[in-house]
Amino acid sequence: MPQTAEILIPLALDTAYSYAVPAGLSLAEGDVVQVPLGPRETIGVVWGVADSASGSNLRPVTGRLDVPPLSEPLRRLVDWLARYTLAPKGSALAMALRLPDEAAARESLRVGVRASGRPPARATAARTKVMAVAADNALRGKTALAKEAGVSMSVVDGLIDDGALETVALEPEPVARPPDLDHPRVPLSEAQAAAALDLLPPEGDPGATLLEGVTGSGKTEVYFEGVASCVRAGRQALILMPEIALTAQFLDRFAARFGVRPAAWHSGIGGKRRERIRAGVAAGEIAVVVGARSALFLPFSRLGLIVVDEEHESAYKQEDGVHYHARDMAVVRGKLEGCPVVLASATPSIETRVNAEKGRYRHVVLPERFGGRRLPDIRAVDMRLDKPERGRFLAPPMIDAVRHNLAAGEQTLLFLNRRGYAPLTLCRACGHRYQCRNCSTWLVEHRFRRALVCHQCGYAERKPEACVECGAFDHLTPCGPGVERIAEEVAELFPQQRIVVLSSDFPGGAERLRAELQTVAEGGCDIVIGTQLVAKGHNFPHLTLVGVLDADIGLTSGDPRAAERTFQLLQQVTGRAGRGEKPGRALVQTCQPDHPVIAALLSGDAARFYAEEIAAREAAGLPPFGRLAALIVSANEREAAEAHGQALARVADPPAGITVLGPAEAPLALIRGRWRFRLLVKTERAIDLQAYLRDWLARGPKVRGNVKVAIDVDPQSFL
């Protein structure tokens, strides 16, 4: 009997299209196929197959592609993600479906060389060296042979042309070797061993577990034991990381535990390697993947464990395209796959903490540092009493602490969560402020680039010698500090010391950053100056003093998560101190030492902070006790964006339990040339937020011109 296939196409389409299945072609759900779409051919995934009446006038499926099909759990994840985020189902599919690019998939052939048994026609000293090394008849790469013989590559090439050396094709290097589960390692402490036993649920009882431990408690080694158990059972493990910058040091830690590195998945992985990783994951040949949030959509065939490291990190939220939170989607995929999920953090998110307290998640706690090391002693520097010198940003107590630390031969970290040299440049003569031409943000001076840069869209311009508004020379003034300005001040105060500045926008990319982090870890510098890049996931054994230079930055925001994020960031960065043999301490420069966040940090009473913050959230009906969704209306013209937002508000008609606020101009009203207005929907927890949003948008005005409406369920950013 003829059949019809429902094909979902990875475009911004919300429905599957019906196609006729040609005679002789057998299709099943999940198969990747090629189909006609308008005047061209495209790819899609079979979402359903059904018998159909004969004589159908549907266009036929062109053919099935020879790639692994999408598994049922992965297809269900796509459906769930689209329903929850209100994204088109095809857009959700696009994150899970990546077909091999033929150009990228063609790997260059690896060639080895060895002696052919024929002597060279002409003997030279260099050739004799090469033949002596090759006499063992072992296969070597050309570069390795030339290096071992101490000659140039041209000598090896000449011997190949001469026939004295023969070339042999080699198998491609595996992207990841199987982990050695019995690789020698540092024994777990008693607390770690107990936590490892409690970490994974009993067989047949998958769910989420919060692994909470103070900084330096060894959470990573604990969940490594979960990974080992998973691989030993013949399953695959996925470890999600919030930042690419964390990956390099983490891969080294993984290799120290398992003898090999896992497969790494992030935007820096090239096309050929990406395709080999996807194929290896789908075939079940790769046991462990460490990756950024996009790794959640890899086609695992035997997924047995998902770990979300630093689960509290906002980097897990995708803010463009499909607005999803990888931590939450990891919990969903774990449920669909029937596998446990571990959420690891020293400072859990409020949502995860509440889920653990209410019994929805299991809760495993490591209350002390590994090896009996003490947590750092944290004290405040009250900037109202101990003010820096004019034009300076380090208070006298901070300078004294750094000086004493240097005298003891110990390492110092100065933390400021602000990139560049200065966040604002203005003219003292006329007051002109340099602003991005595409965004409603000030241009940040980057002195090492000799440019003023927008941190929203990347626009950059040369810093002028004279004011563009009034023409005055020598009147442009940097206002406020960034890490570059702090580095300048530190170099003047301590000219003989080795200083490393760590920021995500420094030249050299990931390789330079990895080298600098390695330098810090090995004690190759005296003072580290960094942004939030250094606040999490790093182990610097020689670091004993952390100085936080502006602890109040995040406390003035209108973001309902401002207190939580500030506490998490400060707790993480001060936790870098004293992780080695020597005790650590931290100084926090603040103008609000009595603020609940700063007071909780200084007292070390994290439980009190969480209790107060959770109570405040519950009283206000904010997540996780209520639900939020944001509608961001944008357009090239301010009037068009505002008018569409107002038209949406007029038909909102919220029922009981739902409040609609706005439209209001977004705090960052202009980004990349588009004006933005926001509407915020706040509901009680039990209300079907998605159903209301769908009904509201269906009743709302049609989107016209260049107006766009983005929907962000569970927003993390309020800018």
Side-chain angles (χ1 to χ4, degrees):
M1 178 178 289
Q3 287 189 316
T4 299
E6 299 300 315
I7 309 296
L8 186 61
I9 296 170
L11 299 173
L13 305 168
D14 203 34
T15 57
Y17 287 180
S18 297
Y19 288 87
V21 180
L25 180 63
S26 176
L27 293 181
E29 292 183 359
D31 284 344
V32 182
V33 295
Q34 189 167 356
V35 293
L37 183 67
R40 62 189 178 91
E41 294 280 329
T42 188
I43 60 168
V45 176
V46 178
W47 229 248
V49 181
D51 293 335
S52 63
S54 58
S56 170
N57 61 354
L58 296 175
R59 301 178 76 179
V61 174
T62 306
R64 183 178 63 234
L65 276 65
D66 187 20
V67 297
L70 260 66
S71 66
E72 181 187 359
L74 191 50
R75 298 196 308 275
R76 290 169 63 195
L77 178 66
V78 169
D79 285 335
W80 199 99
L81 178 63
R83 283 196 305 271
Y84 191 83
T85 64
L86 274 73
K89 194 180 295 186
S91 297
L93 173 64
M95 296 190 295
L97 183 64
R98 293 286 189 275
L99 287 184
D101 173 28
E102 289 188 11
R106 287 194 298 267
E107 286 203 74
S108 56
L109 189 66
R110 292 179 64 240
V111 175
V113 294
R114 65 185 175 193
S116 66
R118 293 172 49 189
R122 180 173 58 87
T124 65
R127 286 185 165 197
T128 301
K129 289 180 181 179
V130 174
M131 297 309 296
V133 173
D136 60 4
N137 208 35
L139 271 175
R140 294 175 175 84
K142 290 198 303 180
T143 303
L145 179 57
K147 185 176 181 180
E148 193 172 344
V151 301
S152 67
M153 282 286 291
S154 61
V155 178
V156 176
D157 288 334
L159 286 167
I160 293 172
D161 295 339
D162 197 16
L165 294 176
E166 64 179 0
T167 58
V168 179
L170 301 176
E171 289 292 324
E173 282 281 347
V175 290
R177 300 183 186 278
D180 179 3
L181 304 182
D182 299 316
H183 186 72
R185 63 189 187 279
V186 176
L188 298 180
S189 68
E190 187 176 327
Q192 285 178 315
L197 288 175
D198 293 340
L199 189 61
L200 297 184
E203 190 68 28
D205 181 27
T209 299
L210 167 60
L211 175 58
E212 181 181 1
V214 298
T215 55
S217 59
K219 296 180 294 296
T220 303
E221 284 69 22
V222 170
Y223 69 66
F224 276 169
E225 295 309 302
V227 171
S229 298
C230 171
V231 175
R232 191 172 284 113
R235 308 288 295 277
Q236 297 167 294
L238 167 63
I239 303 174
L240 293 179
M241 307 289 290
E243 303 273 3
I244 293 177
L246 298 177
T247 308
Q249 193 177 50
F250 182 86
L251 296 181
D252 292 337
R253 295 181 69 178
F254 188 94
R257 167 60 180 87
F258 294 106
V260 296
R261 289 187 164 210
W265 180 271
H266 51 72
S267 59
I269 301 297
K272 296 176 185 177
R273 191 171 185 84
R274 289 176 75 86
E275 297 307 333
R276 291 184 61 197
I277 291 173
R278 284 187 64 85
V281 165
E285 297 167 356
I286 293 177
V288 184
V289 175
V290 173
R293 59 177 180 251
S294 60
L296 186 62
F297 299 96
L298 285 171
F300 290 94
S301 58
R302 295 180 284 104
L303 189 58
L305 174 67
I306 303 174
V307 177
V308 185
D309 201 6
E310 308 288 356
E311 65 83 26
H312 63 277
E313 277 294 326
S314 59
Y316 282 123
K317 181 65 186 276
Q318 179 160 298
E319 299 287 0
D320 56 2
V322 181
H323 293 248
Y324 73 95
H325 199 299
R327 176 199 62 217
D328 300 337
M329 292 306 108
V331 174
V332 173
R333 182 159 193 186
K335 185 175 182 180
L336 296 175
E337 297 275 2
C339 75
V341 179
V342 174
L343 309 176
S345 177
T347 53
S349 63
I350 297 293
E351 288 85 349
T352 299
R353 182 89 175 209
V354 169
N355 280 330
E357 289 181 357
K358 290 186 176 295
R360 301 187 190 109
Y361 296 168
R362 286 175 292 274
H363 196 181
V364 177
V365 180
L366 290 167
E368 297 179 352
R369 281 188 160 181
F370 178 77
R373 298 184 178 95
R374 291 190 296 108
L375 289 168
D377 176 45
I378 306 175
R379 298 184 181 181
V381 176
D382 191 336
M383 298 291 280
R384 299 169 300 181
L385 305 176
D386 290 303
K387 296 181 180 179
E389 295 180 13
R390 184 176 180 84
R392 299 282 191 181
F393 301 96
L394 271 67
M398 184 72 73
I399 296 172
D400 290 341
V402 175
R403 184 173 290 116
H404 286 119
N405 215 50
L406 293 171
E410 298 171 10
Q411 208 172 48
T412 298
L413 166 64
L414 296 177
F415 171 77
L416 177 64
N417 198 23
R418 197 182 279 135
R419 293 179 288 155
Y421 184 84
L424 171 65
T425 298
L426 60 79
C427 174
R428 293 195 309 270
C430 69
H432 175 70
R433 300 182 178 193
Y434 283 80
Q435 184 172 337
C436 177
R437 63 177 61 179
N438 305 314
C439 308
S440 53
T441 56
W442 308 123
L443 292 176
V444 178
E445 181 180 352
H446 284 253
R447 192 153 288 191
F448 73 91
R449 290 174 58 180
R450 298 182 180 179
L452 302 176
V453 181
C454 174
H455 285 175
Q456 292 298 323
C457 70
Y459 167 79
E461 63 182 49
R462 293 279 293 182
K463 182 181 177 181
E465 295 181 1
C467 176
V468 295
E469 188 72 17
C470 68
F473 280 87
D474 299 325
H475 278 70
L476 297 185
T477 302
C479 298
V483 287
E484 292 178 37
R485 196 169 191 179
I486 297 302
E488 182 180 270
E489 181 176 338
V490 170
E492 292 176 7
L493 290 167
F494 308 104
Q496 304 302 317
Q497 307 306 320
R498 298 164 297 174
I499 300 170
V500 167
V501 180
L502 295 175
S503 177
S504 59
D505 53 10
F506 268 58
E511 283 304 313
R512 174 202 177 261
L513 184 58
R514 178 178 179 178
E516 297 282 34
L517 289 169
Q518 187 68 24
T519 298
V520 177
E522 293 173 353
C525 67
D526 302 307
I527 302 174
V528 185
I529 300 167
T531 62
Q532 66 175 350
L533 186 74
V534 299
K536 58 228 175 186
H538 301 296
N539 184 33
F540 302 137
H542 305 281
L543 184 67
T544 57
L545 173 65
V546 170
V548 179
L549 299 189
D550 190 348
D552 306 328
I553 287 179
L555 298 177
T556 56
S557 165
D559 188 333
R561 291 187 174 88
E564 175 191 4
R565 286 179 176 158
T566 301
F567 176 78
Q568 289 167 339
L569 182 59
L570 297 183
Q571 185 89 321
Q572 292 277 347
V573 72
T574 55
R576 298 309 103 193
R579 295 167 72 98
E581 297 300 324
K582 297 180 180 179
R585 59 193 179 119
L587 290 181
V588 179
Q589 291 189 175
T590 175
C591 294
Q592 307 177 69
D594 298 325
H595 191 284
V597 170
I598 305 299
L601 180 73
L602 297 175
S603 67
D605 191 356
R608 179 180 175 183
F609 168 77
Y610 276 109
E612 291 177 352
E613 187 68 13
I614 288 171
R617 293 271 190 97
E618 187 170 17
L622 292 172
F625 304 99
R627 304 191 62 198
L628 294 176
L631 274 66
I632 302 96
V633 182
S634 66
N636 294 344
E637 300 80 26
R638 185 184 186 282
E639 295 75 13
E642 184 176 19
H644 192 89
Q646 291 174 342
L648 273 173
R650 283 194 292 270
V651 298
D653 193 23
I658 297 180
T659 302
V660 176
L661 305 172
E665 193 173 73
L668 291 180
L670 179 67
I671 293 183
R672 295 181 177 87
R674 295 185 64 83
W675 292 92
R676 305 162 70 243
F677 281 78
R678 292 174 58 94
L679 297 103
L680 189 66
V681 183
K682 180 174 176 288
T683 78
E684 297 173 359
R685 182 176 173 82
I687 287 178
D688 188 344
L689 172 61
Q690 282 80 0
Y692 168 72
L693 291 173
R694 289 190 187 92
D695 176 67
W696 179 19
L697 292 171
R699 291 184 285 104
K702 290 185 177 181
V703 173
R704 302 183 185 279
N706 56 53
V707 172
K708 293 181 181 178
V709 178
I711 304 167
D712 187 0
V713 178
D714 303 331
Q716 297 291 307
S717 171
F718 291 82
L719 296 177

